[in-house]
Amino acid sequence: MSELLTIDSISVSYGSIKALRDVSVRVEQGDIVCLIGANGAGKSTLLKAIVGLEPITTGSITYQGHCIAEAGSSDAKKMFPFFGKRLGSSNNLRTDEIAGRGVALVPEGRRVFADMTVEENLDMGAFLVRDEQKIAQKKEEMYDFFPILGARRKQKTRSLSGGEQQMMAIARALMSSPRLLLLDEPGLGLAPLIIQDIFEKIAIINREEGVTVFLVEQNALMALKASKQGYVMENGRIVLDDLSANLLQNDKVKAAYLGE
Ligand code: ATP
């Protein structure tokens, strides 16, 4: 197994709020890795840093062996790509460049385009794909994988249930055939049975399509059961990391996150 994503000692601040402090995470190719933590721990911020939406103030992020973000590296080139070489080199890739390398984020709260149909939402997910035939084929694959989306393809997304919208948000991310899928609280606000359905789909995407998954969740039990490796975040720091099977038996995790 090789390392697909390496987050090395990164920090992120929002003004005076230190949201991430010296965070390191490793994601092996082919694995499902989870990050659990309470509300406000910094989980979403970590995902945003990976896709270039929040600048890091320490450390670096490496994906497929290439640095995609580095503290202190100039952001000027990222902001003004037309000036190219004149601004010198920057290791900080733009969000669209990171997406182009095969990283797809399903954001917290799904962020679907409510007034667009299911089909139009899926088209949005394929914005980096030029080949119309490939897009049509990928949509059919998604309709096979999530039959409810096939049945509702012409309906406005706002008419879907929360669970169906979450499935659509995952399908939209899969339209770009990512190598690494980042999921921000896929179970948020959903009933237990629906959460189970969604986690089953995530397992299939990982097992059968070979997509590596980095999953952020407040639902620690589901996340640890679904993953191989787990990290626990508190107040912007990683306080524990281990095989998920071990974390499920860990007394501190049991008391703080599993309600035991
Ligand atoms: P949740 O599950 O509630 O989304 P989280 O673990 O994902 O929590 P983050 O959203 O990453 O946590 O937030 C981490 C910290 O950074 C919190 O204290 C939050 O209030 C703060 N924060 C997040 N986004 C911003 C922002 N845009 N401006 C200022 N502070 C922010």
Coordinates of all heavy atoms in Angstrom, one line a residue, residues 171-230:
A171 N -23.2 11.2 -5.6 CA -23.1 10.9 -7.0 C -22.5 12.0 -7.8 O -21.7 11.8 -8.7 CB -24.5 10.6 -7.5
R172 N -22.8 13.2 -7.4 CA -22.3 14.4 -8.1 C -20.7 14.4 -8.0 O -20.0 14.7 -8.9 CB -22.9 15.7 -7.5 CG -22.5 17.0 -8.2 CD -23.1 18.2 -7.6 NE -22.8 18.3 -6.2 CZ -23.3 19.2 -5.4 NH1 -24.2 20.0 -5.8 NH2 -22.9 19.3 -4.1
A173 N -20.2 14.1 -6.8 CA -18.8 14.0 -6.6 C -18.2 12.9 -7.4 O -17.0 13.0 -7.9 CB -18.5 13.8 -5.1
L174 N -18.9 11.8 -7.6 CA -18.3 10.7 -8.3 C -18.3 10.9 -9.8 O -17.7 10.2 -10.6 CB -19.2 9.4 -8.0 CG -19.0 8.9 -6.6 CD1 -20.0 7.7 -6.4 CD2 -17.6 8.4 -6.2
M175 N -19.1 11.9 -10.3 CA -19.1 12.2 -11.7 C -17.7 12.5 -12.3 O -17.5 12.3 -13.5 CB -20.1 13.4 -12.0 CG -21.5 13.1 -11.9 SD -22.1 11.9 -13.1 CE -21.9 12.8 -14.6
S176 N -16.8 13.0 -11.5 CA -15.5 13.3 -12.0 C -14.5 12.1 -11.8 O -13.3 12.3 -12.0 CB -14.9 14.5 -11.2 OG -14.9 14.2 -9.8
S177 N -15.1 10.9 -11.5 CA -14.2 9.7 -11.3 C -13.0 10.0 -10.4 O -11.9 9.8 -10.8 CB -13.8 9.1 -12.6 OG -14.8 8.9 -13.5
P178 N -13.3 10.4 -9.1 CA -12.2 10.8 -8.2 C -11.4 9.5 -7.8 O -11.9 8.4 -7.8 CB -12.9 11.4 -7.1 CG -14.2 10.8 -7.0 CD -14.6 10.6 -8.5
R179 N -10.2 9.8 -7.4 CA -9.3 8.8 -6.8 C -9.5 8.9 -5.2 O -9.4 7.9 -4.5 CB -7.9 9.2 -7.1 CG -6.9 8.1 -7.0 CD -5.6 8.6 -7.5 NE -5.5 8.6 -8.9 CZ -4.8 7.6 -9.6 NH1 -4.2 6.7 -8.9 NH2 -4.8 7.7 -10.9
L180 N -9.7 10.1 -4.8 CA -9.9 10.4 -3.3 C -11.2 11.1 -3.1 O -11.4 12.2 -3.7 CB -8.7 11.2 -2.8 CG -8.8 11.7 -1.3 CD1 -8.8 10.5 -0.4 CD2 -7.6 12.6 -1.0
L181 N -12.1 10.5 -2.3 CA -13.4 11.1 -2.0 C -13.4 11.6 -0.6 O -13.1 10.8 0.4 CB -14.5 10.0 -2.2 CG -15.9 10.4 -2.0 CD1 -16.3 11.5 -3.1 CD2 -16.8 9.2 -2.1
L182 N -13.6 12.9 -0.4 CA -13.7 13.5 0.9 C -15.1 13.7 1.3 O -15.9 14.3 0.5 CB -12.9 14.8 0.9 CG -11.5 14.8 0.4 CD1 -11.0 16.3 0.3 CD2 -10.6 14.0 1.3
L183 N -15.5 13.1 2.4 CA -17.0 13.2 2.8 C -17.1 14.0 4.1 O -16.5 13.6 5.1 CB -17.5 11.8 3.0 CG -17.6 11.0 1.7 CD1 -17.8 9.5 2.1 CD2 -18.8 11.4 0.8
D184 N -17.8 15.1 4.1 CA -18.0 15.8 5.4 C -19.4 15.5 6.0 O -20.4 16.0 5.5 CB -17.9 17.3 5.0 CG -17.7 18.2 6.3 OD1 -17.9 17.6 7.4 OD2 -17.3 19.3 6.2
E185 N -19.4 14.7 7.0 CA -20.6 14.3 7.7 C -21.7 13.8 6.9 O -22.8 14.5 6.8 CB -21.1 15.5 8.6 CG -19.9 16.0 9.5 CD -20.4 16.3 10.9 OE1 -21.4 15.8 11.3 OE2 -19.7 17.1 11.6
P186 N -21.5 12.7 6.1 CA -22.6 12.2 5.3 C -23.8 11.8 6.0 O -24.9 11.8 5.4 CB -21.9 11.0 4.6 CG -20.8 10.7 5.4 CD -20.3 11.9 6.1
G187 N -23.7 11.6 7.3 CA -24.9 11.1 8.1 C -25.6 12.2 8.7 O -26.7 12.0 9.4
L188 N -25.2 13.5 8.6 CA -25.7 14.6 9.3 C -27.2 14.8 9.1 O -27.7 14.9 8.0 CB -25.0 15.9 8.9 CG -25.3 17.1 9.8 CD1 -24.7 16.9 11.2 CD2 -24.8 18.4 9.1
G189 N -28.0 14.7 10.2 CA -29.4 15.0 10.1 C -30.3 13.9 9.5 O -31.4 14.1 9.2
L190 N -29.7 12.7 9.3 CA -30.5 11.7 8.7 C -30.8 10.6 9.7 O -30.1 10.4 10.7 CB -29.6 11.0 7.5 CG -29.2 12.0 6.4 CD1 -28.4 11.3 5.4 CD2 -30.4 12.7 5.8
A191 N -31.9 9.8 9.4 CA -32.4 8.8 10.3 C -31.4 7.6 10.2 O -30.7 7.4 9.2 CB -33.7 8.3 9.8
P192 N -31.3 6.8 11.3 CA -30.3 5.8 11.4 C -30.3 4.8 10.2 O -29.2 4.4 9.7 CB -30.6 5.0 12.7 CG -31.3 6.1 13.5 CD -32.0 7.0 12.6
L193 N -31.5 4.4 9.7 CA -31.5 3.4 8.6 C -31.0 4.0 7.3 O -30.4 3.3 6.5 CB -33.0 3.0 8.4 CG -33.4 1.8 9.3 CD1 -34.9 1.5 9.0 CD2 -32.6 0.6 9.1
I194 N -31.3 5.3 7.2 CA -30.8 6.0 5.9 C -29.2 6.1 6.0 O -28.5 5.9 5.0 CB -31.4 7.4 5.8 CG1 -32.9 7.4 6.0 CG2 -31.0 8.1 4.5 CD1 -33.7 6.8 4.9
I195 N -28.7 6.4 7.2 CA -27.3 6.6 7.4 C -26.6 5.2 7.1 O -25.6 5.2 6.4 CB -26.9 7.0 8.9 CG1 -27.5 8.3 9.2 CG2 -25.4 7.0 9.1 CD1 -27.3 8.8 10.6
Q196 N -27.3 4.1 7.5 CA -26.7 2.8 7.2 C -26.7 2.6 5.7 O -25.7 2.1 5.2 CB -27.6 1.8 7.8 CG -26.9 0.5 8.3 CD -27.8 -0.3 9.2 OE1 -28.5 0.3 10.1 NE2 -27.7 -1.6 9.1
D197 N -27.7 3.0 5.0 CA -27.7 2.8 3.5 C -26.6 3.6 2.9 O -25.9 3.1 2.0 CB -29.0 3.5 2.9 CG -30.2 2.6 2.9 OD1 -30.0 1.4 3.4 OD2 -31.3 3.0 2.6
I198 N -26.4 4.8 3.4 CA -25.3 5.6 2.8 C -23.9 5.0 3.1 O -23.1 5.0 2.2 CB -25.5 7.1 3.3 CG1 -26.7 7.7 2.6 CG2 -24.2 7.9 3.1 CD1 -27.1 9.0 3.0
F199 N -23.7 4.6 4.3 CA -22.4 3.9 4.6 C -22.2 2.7 3.8 O -21.1 2.4 3.4 CB -22.3 3.7 6.1 CG -21.8 4.9 6.8 CD1 -22.6 6.0 7.1 CD2 -20.4 5.0 7.2 CE1 -22.1 7.1 7.8 CE2 -19.9 6.1 7.8 CZ -20.8 7.2 8.1
E200 N -23.3 1.9 3.5 CA -23.1 0.7 2.7 C -22.7 1.1 1.3 O -21.8 0.5 0.7 CB -24.5 0.0 2.6 CG -24.6 -1.0 3.7 CD -26.0 -1.6 3.8 OE1 -26.8 -1.6 2.8 OE2 -26.3 -2.0 5.0
K201 N -23.3 2.2 0.8 CA -22.9 2.7 -0.6 C -21.4 3.2 -0.6 O -20.6 2.9 -1.5 CB -23.7 3.9 -1.0 CG -25.2 3.6 -1.3 CD -25.3 2.7 -2.5 CE -26.8 2.6 -2.9 NZ -27.0 1.5 -3.9
I202 N -21.0 3.8 0.5 CA -19.6 4.3 0.6 C -18.6 3.1 0.6 O -17.6 3.1 -0.1 CB -19.4 5.1 1.9 CG1 -20.2 6.4 1.8 CG2 -17.9 5.4 2.1 CD1 -20.3 7.2 3.1
A203 N -19.0 2.0 1.3 CA -18.2 0.8 1.3 C -18.1 0.2 -0.1 O -17.0 -0.2 -0.5 CB -18.8 -0.2 2.3
I204 N -19.2 0.2 -0.8 CA -19.1 -0.4 -2.2 C -18.2 0.5 -3.1 O -17.5 0.0 -3.9 CB -20.6 -0.5 -2.8 CG1 -21.4 -1.5 -1.9 CG2 -20.5 -0.9 -4.2 CD1 -22.9 -1.5 -2.3
I205 N -18.4 1.8 -3.0 CA -17.6 2.7 -3.8 C -16.1 2.4 -3.6 O -15.3 2.4 -4.5 CB -17.9 4.2 -3.5 CG1 -19.4 4.5 -3.9 CG2 -16.9 5.2 -4.1 CD1 -19.9 5.8 -3.3
N206 N -15.8 2.2 -2.3 CA -14.4 2.0 -1.9 C -13.9 0.6 -2.4 O -12.9 0.5 -3.1 CB -14.3 2.0 -0.4 CG -12.9 1.6 0.1 OD1 -12.8 0.5 0.7 ND2 -11.9 2.4 -0.1
R207 N -14.7 -0.4 -2.2 CA -14.3 -1.8 -2.5 C -14.3 -2.1 -4.0 O -13.4 -2.6 -4.5 CB -15.3 -2.7 -1.8 CG -14.8 -4.1 -1.5 CD -15.8 -4.9 -0.6 NE -17.2 -4.9 -1.2 CZ -18.2 -4.5 -0.5 NH1 -18.1 -4.1 0.8 NH2 -19.5 -4.5 -1.0
E208 N -15.4 -1.7 -4.6 CA -15.5 -2.1 -6.0 C -15.0 -1.1 -7.0 O -14.5 -1.5 -8.1 CB -17.0 -2.3 -6.3 CG -17.5 -3.5 -5.6 CD -18.9 -3.9 -5.8 OE1 -19.6 -3.3 -6.7 OE2 -19.4 -4.7 -5.0
E209 N -14.9 0.2 -6.6 CA -14.4 1.2 -7.6 C -12.9 1.6 -7.2 O -12.3 2.4 -7.9 CB -15.2 2.5 -7.6 CG -16.7 2.2 -8.0 CD -16.9 1.7 -9.4 OE1 -16.1 2.1 -10.3 OE2 -17.7 0.8 -9.6
G210 N -12.5 1.1 -6.0 CA -11.1 1.4 -5.6 C -10.9 2.9 -5.2 O -9.8 3.4 -5.2
V211 N -12.0 3.6 -4.9 CA -11.9 5.0 -4.5 C -11.4 5.0 -3.0 O -12.1 4.4 -2.1 CB -13.2 5.7 -4.7 CG1 -13.1 7.2 -4.2 CG2 -13.7 5.6 -6.1
T212 N -10.4 5.8 -2.7 CA -9.9 6.0 -1.4 C -10.9 7.0 -0.7 O -11.3 8.0 -1.4 CB -8.5 6.5 -1.4 OG1 -7.7 5.6 -2.1 CG2 -7.9 6.7 0.0
V213 N -11.2 6.8 0.6 CA -12.2 7.6 1.2 C -11.6 8.2 2.5 O -11.1 7.5 3.3 CB -13.5 6.8 1.5 CG1 -14.5 7.7 2.3 CG2 -14.1 6.3 0.3
F214 N -11.8 9.5 2.6 CA -11.5 10.2 3.9 C -12.8 10.8 4.4 O -13.4 11.7 3.8 CB -10.4 11.2 3.7 CG -10.0 11.9 5.0 CD1 -9.6 11.1 6.1 CD2 -9.9 13.3 5.1 CE1 -9.2 11.7 7.3 CE2 -9.5 13.9 6.3 CZ -9.2 13.1 7.4
L215 N -13.2 10.3 5.6 CA -14.6 10.6 6.0 C -14.5 11.3 7.3 O -13.8 10.9 8.3 CB -15.2 9.2 6.2 CG -16.4 8.9 7.0 CD1 -17.6 9.4 6.1 CD2 -16.5 7.4 7.1
V216 N -15.3 12.4 7.4 CA -15.3 13.2 8.7 C -16.7 13.0 9.2 O -17.7 13.1 8.5 CB -15.1 14.7 8.3 CG1 -15.7 15.6 9.3 CG2 -13.6 14.9 8.1
E217 N -16.8 12.7 10.5 CA -18.1 12.4 11.1 C -18.2 12.7 12.6 O -17.3 12.5 13.3 CB -18.4 10.9 11.0 CG -19.4 10.5 9.9 CD -20.8 11.0 10.0 OE1 -21.2 11.4 11.1 OE2 -21.5 11.1 9.0
Q218 N -19.4 13.1 13.0 CA -19.7 13.2 14.4 C -20.3 11.9 14.9 O -20.2 11.6 16.1 CB -20.8 14.3 14.7 CG -20.2 15.7 14.8 CD -21.2 16.7 15.3 OE1 -21.9 16.5 16.3 NE2 -21.4 17.7 14.5
N219 N -20.9 11.1 13.9 CA -21.4 9.8 14.3 C -20.2 8.8 14.4 O -19.9 8.1 13.4 CB -22.4 9.4 13.2 CG -23.1 8.1 13.6 OD1 -22.6 7.2 14.3 ND2 -24.4 8.0 13.1
A220 N -19.6 8.8 15.5 CA -18.3 8.0 15.7 C -18.5 6.5 15.5 O -17.7 5.9 14.8 CB -17.8 8.3 17.1
L221 N -19.6 6.0 15.9 CA -19.8 4.5 15.8 C -19.9 4.1 14.3 O -19.1 3.2 13.9 CB -21.1 4.1 16.5 CG -21.4 2.6 16.5 CD1 -20.3 1.9 17.3 CD2 -22.8 2.3 17.1
M222 N -20.7 4.8 13.5 CA -20.8 4.5 12.1 C -19.4 4.7 11.4 O -19.0 3.8 10.6 CB -21.8 5.3 11.4 CG -23.3 5.0 11.7 SD -23.7 3.3 11.4 CE -23.7 3.3 9.6
A223 N -18.8 5.8 11.7 CA -17.5 6.1 11.0 C -16.4 5.1 11.4 O -15.7 4.6 10.5 CB -17.1 7.5 11.4
L224 N -16.3 4.7 12.6 CA -15.3 3.8 13.0 C -15.6 2.4 12.5 O -14.6 1.6 12.1 CB -15.1 3.8 14.6 CG -14.5 5.0 15.2 CD1 -14.6 5.0 16.7 CD2 -13.1 5.2 14.7
K225 N -16.8 2.0 12.5 CA -17.2 0.7 11.9 C -16.9 0.6 10.4 O -16.5 -0.4 9.9 CB -18.7 0.4 12.1 CG -19.0 -0.1 13.5 CD -20.5 -0.5 13.5 CE -20.9 -1.2 14.8 NZ -22.3 -1.3 14.9
A226 N -17.0 1.7 9.7 CA -16.9 1.7 8.3 C -15.4 1.8 7.8 O -15.1 1.6 6.7 CB -17.7 2.9 7.7
S227 N -14.5 2.3 8.7 CA -13.2 2.6 8.3 C -12.1 1.6 8.8 O -12.4 0.9 9.7 CB -12.9 4.0 8.8 OG -13.0 4.1 10.2
K228 N -11.0 1.8 8.2 CA -9.8 0.9 8.7 C -9.0 1.7 9.7 O -8.6 1.1 10.7 CB -9.0 0.6 7.4 CG -7.8 -0.2 7.7 CD -7.1 -0.6 6.5 CE -5.8 -1.3 6.8 NZ -4.9 -1.4 5.6
Q229 N -8.8 2.9 9.5 CA -7.9 3.8 10.3 C -8.8 4.9 10.8 O -9.6 5.5 10.1 CB -6.8 4.3 9.5 CG -5.6 4.9 10.2 CD -4.7 3.8 10.9 OE1 -4.6 2.7 10.4 NE2 -4.1 4.2 12.0
G230 N -8.5 5.4 12.1 CA -9.3 6.5 12.6 C -8.5 7.5 13.3 O -7.4 7.2 13.9

